[in-house]
Amino acid sequence: MSASAARKAATTAERQATPKLGTADGSAGDAALVRLVTGFAACIAMLVAIALPVMHVWASLAEEDAAMAAEARIVAYSVSQIASREPDLWRYQEARLRAALETATPAAGAAIRVRDSRGEVLAEIAAEVPAPRHGTSAIVFESGHPVGMVEIEHSALHLLAESVWVTLASLFLAGASYVALRLLPLRMLRRATSRITHLATHDQLTGLPNRRLFHDRLEQTAAGLKRYGGHFAVLALDLDRFKEVNDTLGHAAGDELLRQVARRITGAMRESDTLARLGGDEFAIIQRTAEQPKAAEALAARLVVLLSEPFDLHGNQALIGTSIGIALSVESPADHLLQDADTALYRVKAEGRNGFRFFSAEMNQALRERRALEHDLREALATGQLHLHYQPQVNLASGRVIGLEALLRWDHPVRGRVMPDRFIPLAEEIGLLSRIGEWVLREACEVAMRWPGLRMAVNISANQFQAPDFLRAVRVALEGTGLPADRLEIEITEGVLLTDTERTLATLQALHEMGVSVAMDDFGTGYSSLGYLHKFRFDKIKIDRSFVATLAHDPQAVAIVRAMIGITHALGLRCNAEGVENAVQAALLRAEGCTEAQGYLYGRAVPEAELAALIEGAAAKDATAPPAPEAVIPPAPEALKLPRSLRA
């Protein structure tokens, strides 16, 4: 069988597999609704078919009976007048009685007669009354005593004829009611069910199949191609820099971008392929063709180029890209294809994004390790495996320990010491960073309360700082432990200031109003350090260890550090040098006017239980430090030119 025939057969099988409302393949819920609507329509139709004729017959008979009763009472009154005038002879005056009957002439086709108290007919106007018949009677009185009876009998044939016509009309109305009440609700039900089904299986923003329908199509594709032969590929796509568009242009622009992306991808595919939006900025494609992996590679390369072209979002131009992972049906089982494509996608993102890669078995090992680490991190937070170590911060002039920097550590029972640079990015990805950050803040504040006079510094990542509940977490930590706000110092890097500047500055200002100190960490390694110092007044600047490491033998490093320290003096800020590992570096920094230092010279980060001995040793080491070697420090020029990395 050819590839096109296989695709056609698979598509036909997929369509036939779709259940319809009210059929044997439909769901039990749909069948129950059909039965309910049919029963309701039948009940209304039966009510119309029965109630209308019955009501007509009842009303007609009641009207006829009322007319006959009135007619009988009139005749009885006339006979009663005759009986009252001649009490003894009235029964023998047939002529007068007959005249009384003729005076109250009944309707044509009716019979009327007068009987005495013994039931004998005294006078009668006979007529042929067709069946069916019905009649009535009225009592004849003489001086208040009943002496006879007047009887009237009519034919009900005309009522029967009218009832037949009414019944026929009722049956017609009942049939019309049944048809209307069954077809219209079912049609509306089908439309509603179809709409609900569409909403349940499609993305409302782009109109594409959602994750649920994608998995269904994936199973159908695998089953069809398994039967008819052929291969297919699954492509997992994730948009690069989509969050930047959302943050800078707003969610409306982000939604429009997703719609345009969906149209571009659809235009690059064949009709036999399936495109789905799995959520957020994630898309997936099922590509049916026997020419794999060549076809998947060509489609992925085409999409990388297409999605790298500019998008026009309400007059604003947006540039994004896409990372694509590809899994082939010949290499992965159907139920693992999307997972394997995601694994390849993660590898593309780790290698720089805006490209594509095919899944390979080696990737699974890295993915398993990552998932195991994720599981262990969740367990570590729940079981208390995370703890804090503290590194002293020393006043260079007095050698006295003036503060502590809290550093997060994870001691795994099997993995051993897991460093923050390995698990903190993972915590950000899986949404644990906020909880970990809140715990670190509270724990650090509790320890600071047990060490009076020392300031506690806590590192805050960009994601944690931008979180909406960050300020609340700081307040809760201070209020819950009773630590004065001026003894807490928040350390942030320049990366915190790169996005959402107005909100960031507002958060920094709120920290200052609370009385919390703010330090810029890794100063000089970012992009616009001086510009940020101009926008916001930090309390302290921390010189990055990369500049301190070469102080003893690199005159250029000395010049850069001297410039940094000069900036802090000019702005009235405290200055802290990180990574001080020997007495020569400490002496050089002290000679240049640096106020604080920390590093291995004064002690590594240790648990709280070892802080007392560490603090005593830090002061002793600084007291024995030799003077700075004069030959290493170049004289300060009259006008110091700042290096490129420090220009605003």
Side-chain angles (χ1 to χ4, degrees):
M1 180 179 289
S2 66
S4 60
R7 287 195 300 272
K8 183 177 181 181
T11 304
T12 303
E14 179 180 341
R15 291 175 179 172
Q16 291 176 348
T18 304
K20 296 183 179 179
L21 183 64
T23 64
D25 296 331
S27 66
D30 292 342
L33 285 174
V34 171
R35 289 194 297 270
L36 178 63
V37 171
T38 302
F40 175 75
C43 289
I44 296 299
M46 291 177 61
L47 184 63
V48 171
I50 296 174
L52 288 181
V54 169
M55 291 178 62
H56 173 266
V57 170
W58 176 80
S60 299
L61 286 175
E63 183 181 0
E64 188 76 7
D65 287 342
M68 290 173 60
E71 191 175 18
R73 284 196 297 271
I74 292 173
V75 174
Y77 177 77
S78 299
V79 175
S80 295
Q81 293 296 320
I82 297 173
S84 296
R85 288 195 295 271
E86 301 181 44
D88 298 327
L89 300 174
W90 74 275
R91 289 188 294 274
Y92 308 105
Q93 299 184 24
E94 181 180 359
R96 295 181 65 184
L97 292 175
R98 192 175 179 83
L101 296 181
E102 291 176 348
T103 302
T105 304
I112 182 169
R113 63 184 66 87
V114 179
R115 296 180 185 272
D116 61 10
S117 58
R118 292 189 299 272
E120 295 181 3
V121 177
L122 302 179
E124 179 181 15
I125 297 178
E128 184 178 351
V129 180
R133 307 179 185 92
H134 75 286
T136 188
S137 61
I139 299 175
V140 177
F141 293 93
E142 186 269 316
S143 300
H145 301 284
V147 294
M149 182 178 295
V150 174
E151 296 177 348
I152 296 179
E153 190 177 39
H154 283 192
S155 174
L157 185 60
H158 67 288
L159 296 180
L160 179 61
E162 291 178 2
S163 298
V164 170
W165 284 109
V166 170
T167 301
L168 292 176
S170 299
L171 291 175
F172 176 79
L173 289 176
S177 301
Y178 177 79
V179 172
L181 293 176
R182 187 180 187 278
L183 293 184
L184 290 180
L186 284 181
R187 181 172 296 178
M188 295 173 63
L189 180 61
R190 286 192 178 96
R191 289 181 179 177
T193 304
S194 177
R195 178 62 177 166
I196 292 172
T197 303
H198 185 273
L199 292 177
T201 58
H202 288 75
D203 172 52
Q204 297 185 39
L205 180 64
T206 61
L208 298 174
N210 60 13
R211 184 182 293 271
R212 175 183 175 186
L213 184 56
F214 178 82
H215 283 289
D216 182 66
R217 296 272 180 87
L218 185 59
E219 293 176 2
Q220 293 182 13
T221 301
L225 295 182
K226 182 178 181 181
R227 179 177 180 183
Y228 299 105
H231 305 295
F232 68 99
V234 171
L235 290 77
L237 295 83
D238 189 89
L239 302 184
D240 302 329
R241 297 185 295 277
F242 175 75
K243 186 177 183 300
E244 297 177 14
V245 175
N246 250 354
D247 293 340
T248 56
L249 301 180
H251 291 287
D255 292 345
E256 175 61 22
L257 175 60
L258 290 174
R259 285 189 286 265
Q260 292 189 26
V261 166
R263 288 195 291 269
R264 285 194 188 182
I265 297 176
T266 302
M269 294 164 39
R270 298 179 306 176
E271 292 184 0
S272 59
D273 300 336
T274 296
L275 171 64
R277 182 188 175 207
L278 305 184
D281 59 343
E282 300 176 16
F283 296 84
I285 298 173
I286 302 174
Q287 187 188 40
R288 302 170 179 171
T289 176
E291 300 175 356
Q292 296 293 3
K294 185 185 299 183
E297 182 177 2
L299 177 59
R302 190 159 60 248
L303 292 177
V304 169
V305 174
L306 275 176
L307 299 182
S308 297
E309 296 175 357
F311 290 86
D312 184 11
L313 306 177
H314 309 299
N316 297 303
Q317 190 178 77
L319 288 172
I320 62 170
T322 185
S323 300
I324 304 175
I326 309 171
L328 303 175
S329 61
V330 294
E331 297 180 356
S332 301
D335 55 347
H336 287 173
L337 276 170
L338 183 58
Q339 176 182 329
D340 292 347
D342 280 334
T343 302
L345 171 63
Y346 289 136
R347 179 62 63 88
V348 175
K349 285 189 169 294
E351 294 176 351
R353 302 188 295 184
N354 200 35
F356 64 90
R357 279 200 67 166
F358 283 88
F359 170 79
S360 61
E362 293 78 13
M363 295 179 183
N364 262 337
Q365 180 61 31
L367 180 63
R368 282 194 293 267
E369 291 180 0
R370 182 186 183 279
R371 288 178 176 169
L373 185 63
E374 176 183 335
H375 174 270
D376 291 348
L377 181 57
R378 294 183 187 276
E379 186 176 351
L381 183 60
T383 58
Q385 295 178 20
L386 299 178
H387 54 274
L388 295 181
H389 283 195
Y390 304 90
Q391 186 174 42
Q393 296 178 336
V394 176
N395 182 292
L396 281 173
S398 64
R400 184 171 57 87
V401 175
I402 59 173
L404 302 170
E405 181 177 358
L407 301 172
L408 184 60
R409 296 290 183 263
W410 177 13
D411 288 328
H412 191 275
V414 177
R415 301 175 186 271
R417 174 66 56 83
V418 184
M419 299 307 294
D421 58 353
R422 185 178 178 193
F423 69 84
I424 288 297
L426 177 61
E428 291 184 359
E429 290 182 22
I430 64 178
L432 285 181
L433 186 61
S434 179
R435 290 174 54 193
I436 294 176
E438 290 181 7
W439 175 82
V440 169
L441 276 170
R442 185 174 183 87
E443 181 71 13
C445 290
E446 287 181 356
V447 171
M449 286 295 294
R450 295 193 286 268
W451 294 86
L454 297 183
R455 183 183 293 109
M456 180 62 70
V458 178
N459 290 282
I460 301 298
S461 70
N463 284 353
Q464 184 182 358
F465 189 86
Q466 299 292 349
D469 59 346
F470 169 67
L471 290 174
R472 180 197 60 80
V474 174
R475 292 191 185 96
V476 169
L478 292 174
E479 294 172 0
T481 60
L483 181 70
D486 59 359
R487 289 185 56 200
L488 176 63
E489 186 168 81
I490 299 298
E491 294 187 2
I492 62 173
T493 62
E494 295 174 64
V496 173
L497 306 170
L498 290 177
T499 59
D500 203 357
T501 304
E502 293 184 2
R503 180 181 174 186
T504 300
L505 294 179
T507 302
L508 291 172
Q509 186 61 38
L511 289 173
H512 259 190
E513 292 173 357
M514 291 167 58
V516 176
S517 300
V518 181
M520 180 185 284
D521 200 6
D522 301 334
F523 182 71
T525 61
Y527 299 97
S528 305
S529 301
L530 296 182
Y532 295 135
L533 291 179
H534 177 71
K535 290 181 179 179
F536 179 80
R537 187 184 181 278
F538 289 84
D539 298 286
K540 182 167 73 176
I541 288 177
K542 300 189 71 175
I543 300 174
D544 187 67
R545 64 181 65 247
S546 61
F547 299 110
V548 176
T550 58
L551 273 179
H553 54 79
D554 186 357
Q556 186 176 4
V558 175
I560 294 174
V561 170
R562 178 181 295 144
M564 294 181 184
I565 297 173
I567 291 172
T568 62
H569 289 170
L571 297 177
L573 309 180
R574 291 181 285 118
C575 180
N576 178 294
E578 295 183 291
V580 179
E581 298 182 358
N582 54 63
V584 174
Q585 293 171 346
L588 287 170
L589 291 167
R590 187 186 302 110
E592 290 299 323
C594 184
T595 55
E596 301 175 14
Q598 66 185 89
Y600 292 165
L601 175 64
Y602 306 104
R604 297 174 181 269
V606 297
E608 183 188 3
E610 302 176 22
L611 270 179
L614 183 65
I615 290 175
E616 293 177 2
K621 289 178 182 178
D622 190 77
T624 59
E630 296 292 340
V632 178
I633 306 176
E638 295 181 0
L640 181 63
K641 183 177 181 181
L642 296 179
R644 183 183 302 273
S645 62
L646 294 179
R647 295 176 192 169

